[in-house]
Amino acid sequence: MSEENLWYGTLAATVRVDDLPASRRVVAIELPDDGQWRVCGYGVSDGSGIAQLDITGLPTSRIYAVAIDDWGRPFVPGMTVA
């Protein structure tokens, strides 16, 4: 992917947990036409659930915003996940 082909912008996201605004880490993930996923931006939502992420991506890509919850246990190879 050539740097000269990338578009730069801002992605606005709202995070809600149980229908209430929440502060969470937010990751923007790009899916270009070649199918190779990549992280194209990241940030943190404030107490009102609002996040502004600076992103870079190809103009033909799909961009997804995902809020990360820090719950559970750290992953250990071979552990059972249900």
Side-chain angles (χ1 to χ4, degrees), residues 21-61:
S23 178
R24 295 288 188 276
R25 287 186 277 178
V26 181
V27 178
I29 307 168
E30 175 186 21
L31 179 58
D33 294 335
D34 69 5
Q36 297 294 315
W37 291 92
R38 74 174 196 90
V39 173
C40 63
Y42 60 91
V44 177
S45 62
D46 60 19
S48 63
I50 305 297
Q52 297 287 329
L53 287 68
D54 292 328
I55 60 170
T56 60
L58 295 170
T60 57
S61 294

